[in-house]
Amino acid sequence: MLARYLPVLAWGRSYNRQTLVNDGVAAGIVTIMLIPQSLAYAMLAGLPPEVGLYASILPIIAYAIFGTSRTLAVGPVAVISLMTLAAAGSVAPPGSAEFIAAALVLAFLSGLMLVLMGVLKLGFLANLLSHPVVSGFITASGIIIATSQLKSILGVGASGEAMPELLATLWQNIGTTNLPTVAIGVGSLAFLFWVRKGLKPALMRLGVPARPADLTAKAGPIAAVVASTLAVIAFDLEERGVKVVGEIPQSLPPFTVPLFDPGLWQQLLVPALLLSVIGFVESVSVAQTLAAKRRQRIDPDQELIGLGAANIAASFSGGYPVTGGFARSVVNFDAGAETPAAGAMTAVGIAIAALFLTPLLASLPIATLAATIIVAVLSLVNFAAIRNVWRYSRADFAAMAATILVTLGFGVEPGVVAGVLLSLALLLWRTSRPHAAIVGRVPNTEHFRNVDRHDVITDPRIVTIRIDESLTYLNARWLEEHVLEVVADRPEVRHLILMGSAINAIDASALESLEAINHRLADAGIKLHLSEVKGPVMDRLRASRLLGDLTGRIFLSQDNAFAALVSSADDEGVEPRDDPWLARGLI
């Protein structure tokens, strides 16, 4: 029971020297990558840069204790940083003491919600957000984040949470562009894009093995940080208007207590919930993908507790909301991390950097951090997914496109709300109008298929409807209308079979509809039969009066039902009319 809530007790039993070495190597590489990212994402969130370092220490350790993924790297991420800026910015100016206090409260509320959801085993709620909607939201957020960082690349002022405002303020201030800043920003962008795409092939051509070449390329941002910092110092670019990070306190994370202000908590409650849901969906998607590659598994409910513990730890250590990051997790995986201990070692590395290396970062240009963010978030922009969804499902594309447009036009919080509502609306719409097919028997087999897709054997006195969805209050009325419409178009029908092979549940509303269908068909001289009803569904039906009132029979298989009812209709002397699909000799 203890290991259920403390996964560290499970993987810790088999920890050995080789695992320690592998975790240590991965931790070193991720630490190098995480230092500039932590600074950049904190500034994206409107917070002092050291807050990014603080959010990368205790939260990682908390997740290592409570999380189930062996390779997920927890910390500040771009989308959550942008959502933090939007939420905390609604109650205080970015960078102010009140803003920082709001960020701590956001982390605390988010952590409490995640832990509560995990204890109540509500991990399945993440499934309410469809993948196209999540993909659309992340794509739109990536575009907004990249656009918001152009002000730092150009050295101009700009503000806004949505694209129209961002573009308008950028255009208004374009005349104040700082050329040295542009040189550093554009140079860093070009270098980082080349590192991402071209450094690995170049190293491999020089004889470097694939894995070291890949890991070296992923550590490329450190080279940009070092080169641009040296350029600022050597050419005294700060005096020429290049904005730098400035002094960063040399210290471990402070002990902080989230402000208990009922009014503030009420204002941040909904943003914290949205942030929790998006953070969990992003994190669990990465964790499941990486776990599958090693034939491991994660527990979504325990992941909620792990991420909740990480956010609570962030709120008590001067941080802000965190979640599992895609890029860092992939690097952690590729570098050979075997257990969450690699994350704990990364936290130690960040703590050492916070204590001893921050003076070296004082002259780091903000333009370089902006370039780091842009390169990182543009990997989230997936136009291919938009094209694929368009080809596959127009309904999913409509939900995806609406999420993108709302996010771009009005900001991340309206985008999240729109995404949730559209996902639910799409689910309800599909459930309320399930696919149903009239089926017939495939010649020389016992299989029954859609008459509109196959040449099958049918009998005009018998109609079989296969419902490809559970029957609930959402589609109960539709079921009545559909069945009555089918028999109205077929005056020769004497038997109607509901084929239940795809029905996994029937709720009380649908049961009442079935009873109504049974009585209405009886009034029309038609018997209602059921076939291939699943065991759990039959168990529920036995507790109802439907089976006692049923005018027809219940058949184990559709083939038995069809054969028996054809014979019954023959015995009743009801002659079939001409039917182009009828082949009586094969029955």
Side-chain angles (χ1 to χ4, degrees), residues 152-153 180-190 367-368 371:
S152 298
I153 296 291
T181 301
V182 171
I184 290 176
V186 173
S188 297
L189 273 176
T368 302

Side-chain angles (χ1 to χ4, degrees), residues 554-576:
I554 300 173
F555 296 92
L556 183 63
S557 74
Q558 175 59 29
D559 184 63
N560 290 342
F562 189 64
L565 295 179
V566 167
S567 176
S568 174
D570 288 343
D571 292 341
E572 293 170 0
V574 180
E575 291 297 326

Side-chain angles (χ1 to χ4, degrees), residues 255-342:
F255 176 74
T256 53
V257 179
L259 181 65
F260 182 73
D261 181 343
L264 179 62
W265 283 38
Q266 185 177 0
Q267 283 182 279
L268 297 178
L269 202 59
V270 172
L273 177 61
L274 299 176
L275 192 147
S276 300
V277 172
I278 291 297
F280 173 65
V281 170
E282 181 178 355
S283 179
V284 79
S285 299
V286 176
Q288 287 175 335
T289 300
L290 297 180
K293 291 184 177 182
R294 293 183 179 173
R295 299 191 178 184
Q296 298 168 347
R297 63 176 297 273
I298 66 166
D299 181 349
D301 295 321
Q302 185 60 32
E303 281 297 290
L304 284 166
I305 295 175
L307 289 174
N311 278 282
I312 291 173
S315 70
F316 283 98
S317 59
Y320 72 104
V322 298
T323 192
F326 177 76
R328 288 194 304 274
S329 298
V330 171
V331 171
N332 197 38
F333 180 90
D334 290 343
E338 295 188 28
T339 71

Side-chain angles (χ1 to χ4, degrees), residues 471 476 479-480 483 498 503 506-521 528 530 537 541 546 550:
L471 300 180
L479 177 65
E480 291 184 47
V483 169
L498 283 182
I503 299 175
I506 298 176
D507 71 3
S509 298
L511 177 63
E512 289 187 6
S513 290
L514 289 175
E515 292 172 345
I517 290 170
N518 184 50
H519 289 302
R520 292 186 183 183
L521 291 180
L528 174 65
L530 304 177
V537 177
L541 291 180
L546 174 66
L550 194 66

Side-chain angles (χ1 to χ4, degrees), residues 9 46 51 80 125 168 277 289 306 311 314 339 341 345 363 372 375 390 491 525 549:
L9 299 178
V51 173
I80 298 301
L125 291 177
V277 172
T289 300
N311 278 282
T339 71
M345 295 178 194
S363 297
T372 302
V375 173
W390 164 259
D549 296 339

Side-chain angles (χ1 to χ4, degrees), residues 19 43 83 99-100 131 134 145 149 151 217 252 255 260 285 394 501 549:
T19 305
M43 299 184 75
M83 294 180 70
F99 183 91
I100 296 173
H131 184 269
V134 173
I145 292 169
Q149 295 307 298
K151 65 179 185 294
L252 291 175
F255 176 74
F260 182 73
S285 299
R394 294 295 191 271
S501 56
D549 296 339

